[in-house]
Amino acid sequence: MTVSNAVDVVWAIGGWLHRQRWYVSEPTQSIMESNTQTALSWGNVGIAALLLGINAGLSIWLKLGLSCNLIVAALRCVAQLTVLGMVLKQIFETQNPVYIFGMALVLGVLAAVEVSYWRAKRRFPGMFMGTLCAIVGSALVVGLFGNAYALNMDPAYTAVKFIPTVGMLFGNCMIGVSIGLGTVMDALDSRRDRIEAMLCFGASRWEVIRPVVSEALRAALVPTITNMGITGLIAIPGVMTGWILGGADVLQAARYQQIILFMISASTASSTLLSVLFCASVLVDRVPMLRLDRLQFADHSASMSQEKSASRASSRLALLRSSCRPKSELYLSRNSSSVSTSPSTCNMQDQSSRRSNGRISGLELRTGAATPLLRSEPTDIRARLASI
């Protein structure tokens, strides 16, 4: 067979494949017509609601006490989705950027309220604003970038794609931030003795919070990574299911689902990192000093338990300070004439007064600075104080 004959055969096969068009996945006309002609009414919703009778029956039979909660949740679901559908219909028709970003901001505020007030068992000052900035900032940046370059939307804030995408990002960011903040607060509370010891031995603020931030970020990203790893094996994801039910191309629905999963992973990681860094910086201040007194429990009984625990911790710290303070104060009082003109002496006296008021910092108990001061000769006190 010559080269020209081989070329002719390949050309003939290619023409046949082009005429068959089996490799191009396009929805057939019958499928499109069946999807466009099917309309759902409130009767269909009522028929589906009858399935909730299974849950209600189990609750009554096993005395779970969830019947009222089930009814309230079902009514809220119907009302909230109906109102959301009416609002989104108007926004999709107008395509006004003010309405589009306003709707996105409302969703972000609701996500921050969910994390800060409805899900949180403990709160700290500035929790709502910190979570709001982390969730809204991360979701908007990732959403605009993904719509513009991954989904080829022009403009990137096209309502029909931008609002559903940002809504999914907000929901997953909310879960990741909630897990991350809970992990940070639990870790700082359970390791308070170890953290205070690290601060006493001169550890910096970042050295103290870095392991906690890493643990919180790992715990928050595990569900996202697991979900991304099992997608397509056990169940069809929700976004892909919606596209298929809407009559879209199956391969296009799969690609859209992949893009959404990658965007969710990026937004969850960035929002969780920002929120846990903010939480750790609030609970470990600039001194650095562990400030668990800034935590507030949601219910009063837990708050009273926290106050008792904090008072016991303050008593242990006061005992520790009283056992460490006399030698340094006695030594400085004996040599007050040699250090009275040093600016650092005033700073040390101020630190001593703050210790007596119940506060302690890493600088005040750093053994690297305190031990040479106690062991030095009187003539070296001025130089030691200046180096602290």
Side-chain angles (χ1 to χ4, degrees), residues 325 329 347-357:
R325 191 167 53 223
E329 292 182 351
N347 187 20
M348 184 65 71
Q349 293 174 354
D350 180 68
Q351 294 174 8
S352 177
S353 64
R354 288 193 292 115
R355 286 199 301 268
S356 63
N357 291 331

Side-chain angles (χ1 to χ4, degrees), residues 60-123:
I60 296 174
W61 179 40
L62 299 177
K63 298 181 181 180
L64 302 178
L66 298 177
S67 301
C68 295
N69 295 335
L70 180 64
I71 296 174
V72 172
L75 294 177
R76 284 187 57 183
C77 175
V78 173
Q80 291 167 182
L81 289 179
T82 303
V83 173
L84 179 61
M86 297 171 61
V87 172
L88 290 181
K89 182 178 180 181
Q90 298 297 325
I91 294 176
F92 291 167
E93 292 177 354
T94 58
Q95 293 292 331
N96 192 330
V98 177
Y99 295 155
I100 295 173
F101 285 102
M103 185 66 187
L105 183 60
V106 170
L107 295 177
V109 171
L110 292 177
V113 170
E114 177 77 18
V115 173
S116 303
Y117 296 102
W118 297 343
R119 291 196 176 197
K121 297 180 180 179
R122 288 180 289 187
R123 308 187 190 101

